[in-house]
Amino acid sequence: MFEPTEAADRPVRLLGFWGTPENRTLPDPAGLVDPDWDEAQRLWVADYLAHGLVAGNWMGASRCRLCSRANGSRDLTDGHYLWPEGLAHYVLDHGVRLPAEFLDHIERRSRALEELERDGSWWQRNAART
Ligand SMILES: [Zn+2]
């Protein structure tokens, strides 16, 4: 899922960070809600987001901008994008739609992982070496 050498070649893209009253250059999640977004696709995207690797921990949980619940205190990444862990909640529970380019990225990554060539020889040679 994460290739550090690949990630070092370019900056990771930030995703799902929201504007504040002091900084309105980032979007408001309320403007991205799509009540018609297919639930199966929202589940698929939220599941992907929930399984990123931890890229940072923050003091204290952020609050959901739409329902005020505590919504995570970590940043997660797949080595290409980096998002706050609460982004899965916005997608799943509020229908906050993410850019099509990101959905295409998930599709490509998932397909590539399913199609990985598998080699069991390393495990056979090393399983008993502790
Ligand atoms: Zn919420």
Side-chain angles (χ1 to χ4, degrees), residues 63-69 71 89-90 93-94:
R63 295 253 163 220
C64 174
R65 305 292 176 85
L66 301 176
C67 72
S68 298
R69 79 168 220 183
N71 200 27
H89 164 70
Y90 285 96
D93 297 323
H94 297 298

Side-chain angles (χ1 to χ4, degrees), residues 92-105:
L92 190 59
D93 297 323
H94 297 298
V96 171
R97 192 181 259 286
L98 301 178
E101 186 176 348
F102 179 68
L103 305 187
D104 292 344
H105 166 78

Side-chain angles (χ1 to χ4, degrees), residues 70-90:
N71 200 27
S73 60
R74 301 182 299 178
D75 288 338
L76 304 178
T77 186
D78 66 0
H80 295 265
Y81 290 87
L82 185 148
W83 59 89
E85 72 175 326
L87 185 57
H89 164 70
Y90 285 96

